[in-house]
Amino acid sequence: MELGDAARGGSRPMVVRVPVEPVEAAVEADALDAVARTGNLVVRGPLFGVAAQEDGDGHVWRVIVPVTLGCPQQARDSLNSRLWFGAKDDAEDPAERRALLAAVARLETEYVDDLGVAGTRYRIVRAEEYAAVGALGEMEGPRPTDVEPLVPDWSRGAGGPAVDDGLVLDPSAPVTPTQVAERLALRDLCYSGDRFPKDVLADSRRAVTTHPDILLLPPTFTVVERTANAWAPISGPHATAHTARRSLDFSLTWAWPRMRGLIPVDGPMEADARTETEGRTDGAGAARTPGPLAAYAEAAAALRVGRVNRLAFQDTVYQIARTRRLLRWGPDGPEGPRPSDVNTQEPTRIHPLLDGDGHIVSGD
């Protein structure tokens, strides 16, 4: 068997690369420390995205829609839009445009998980989202070696890296010792317990055999809140811990005040908890008594002091959690949706019809 090949039911050999550069060695040591602090895992459920493989790519796939979507149909709809805009704006000739539009037509009416178009193979891919927790149920937060900006940008329109941007899926790529240990430990992971339907349990057990290998996707970061006996996600996943913090800042200053009637929904877009509380005085120039928005502004200000990963606000604890994803891999590549995965919507037309020149057909 050549390196990187695997027969059905077998596993690929892994190439281990021992980190020698200082930064890589620090990341590896950080991973070992994390196991000691938060050595238990909790599984949240599946996420979906889209991967593509060009002719000649061998066993390598590229992620073109982030593996962050909640159901397979959302990923199909994202692929639908990508192919439609490709037909409209990027097709080099009528034959390519016809092929792209034929694929769009299928995605509008069928639950398509694997599709070949103009020399490219597209697949809806499935990953399992999970997180590490400690002995007392505390979720793992960002690690010291996770990427952070040198100068945090808190502006509302700030950009940042996107989840899975440019991600290449290569099961033969060298991995570090801690990555090997995690992949081996997760190979037999499958659902168990009475809370799962029988078909979900059966599909999970079957995947261990049909897709025996594990690829670990880059970590993501999610804002979670503490409930009575668990953590519930409220925002994410994000590519960095800072973008997760910024989303919590936005919730505190802009979204929640509007949702709770503290700022008019139809008010100025720039109005937020800060602008509505800073420098407010009465007619005589005296400072006004702080209103309910002041607590939101104070919580957001506390979030900006250093790399804050846990915040208590109005009897609720919010945390930046480090979330992970594993993708199963078989002889034909990444795992797709399972028969028991739930679609929250049906296939439908998303965009108007295009003619043979890529122009929108009016009156459709």
Side-chain angles (χ1 to χ4, degrees):
M1 180 169 65
E2 295 182 356
L3 184 64
D5 292 339
R8 181 169 297 276
S11 298
R12 295 174 181 269
M14 286 184 277
V15 179
V16 182
R17 176 180 54 81
V18 178
V20 293
E21 296 296 332
V23 173
E24 287 185 318
V27 171
E28 188 75 352
D30 213 2
L32 287 171
D33 292 342
V35 173
R37 293 192 308 269
T38 51
N40 301 315
L41 299 182
V42 290
V43 178
R44 180 167 177 257
L47 295 173
F48 302 89
V50 182
Q53 185 184 59
E54 306 286 343
D55 287 343
D57 279 351
H59 56 258
V60 175
W61 293 69
R62 296 174 295 106
V63 173
I64 60 170
V65 173
V67 189
T68 59
L69 301 172
C71 85
Q73 190 55 43
Q74 290 176 325
R76 296 184 196 105
D77 289 346
S78 295
L79 177 58
N80 182 326
S81 289
R82 186 182 182 92
L83 297 180
W84 186 89
F85 279 104
K88 178 177 177 293
D89 301 325
D90 302 326
E92 296 182 356
D93 54 59
E96 181 181 0
R97 182 172 294 111
R98 285 194 298 270
L100 290 167
L101 292 178
V104 169
R106 286 193 63 193
L107 287 164
E108 291 175 344
T109 58
E110 302 176 34
Y111 294 100
V112 182
D113 294 329
D114 209 301
L115 192 63
V117 186
T120 301
R121 186 180 181 187
Y122 299 95
R123 177 174 294 177
I124 310 304
V125 296
R126 181 191 197 276
E128 204 76 60
E129 186 181 34
Y130 64 102
V133 297
L136 301 178
E138 67 277 17
M139 293 192 70
E140 181 186 12
R143 298 176 183 174
T145 49
D146 286 329
V147 175
E148 295 275 6
L150 293 176
V151 180
D153 186 348
W154 293 94
S155 59
R156 193 166 298 150
V163 175
D164 296 338
D165 185 27
L167 179 61
V168 175
L169 303 176
D170 182 358
S172 298
V175 288
T176 68
T178 59
Q179 292 169 338
V180 169
E182 188 169 357
R183 286 169 62 164
L184 290 174
L186 294 171
R187 270 184 174 173
D188 294 330
L189 178 70
C190 61
Y191 298 153
S192 61
D194 296 337
R195 68 189 183 96
F196 293 103
K198 291 182 179 180
D199 58 340
V200 172
L201 295 173
D203 285 348
S204 183
R205 289 191 297 267
R206 187 180 305 112
V208 174
T209 301
T210 61
H211 295 78
D213 292 308
I214 298 292
L215 264 66
L216 302 177
L217 303 186
T220 53
F221 301 86
T222 302
V223 181
V224 297
E225 65 176 3
R226 184 72 179 180
T227 61
N229 56 4
W231 293 92
I234 62 171
S235 171
H238 303 277
T240 68
H242 177 68
T243 50
R245 295 186 199 105
R246 196 168 62 214
S247 74
L248 180 56
D249 178 270
F250 175 78
S251 296
L252 286 165
T253 59
W254 199 94
W256 291 347
R258 282 169 170 77
M259 293 168 58
R260 297 165 186 176
L262 301 177
I263 295 178
V265 175
D266 57 355
M269 289 293 293
E270 64 273 12
D272 62 20
R274 290 190 184 88
T275 63
E276 295 300 295
T277 56
E278 291 175 348
R280 298 196 53 121
T281 61
D282 59 19
R288 291 183 180 177
T289 302
L293 278 174
Y296 291 80
E298 291 170 0
L303 187 63
R304 296 190 178 196
V305 180
R307 297 174 179 176
V308 176
N309 295 319
R310 182 176 288 222
L311 181 72
F313 176 66
Q314 293 185 343
D315 300 323
T316 301
V317 175
Y318 300 94
Q319 180 176 325
I320 309 302
R322 190 181 199 269
T323 42
R324 312 186 209 175
R325 296 163 297 158
L326 68 88
L327 186 148
R328 286 197 169 275
W329 198 278
D332 192 36
E335 183 186 17
R338 298 172 184 173
S340 57
D341 287 329
V342 176
N343 291 289
T344 59
Q345 58 213 57
E346 296 181 352
T348 188
R349 179 185 294 179
I350 301 174
H351 301 286
L353 292 174
L354 297 177
D355 63 19
D357 296 318
H359 300 141
I360 293 176
V361 177
S362 61
D364 176 51

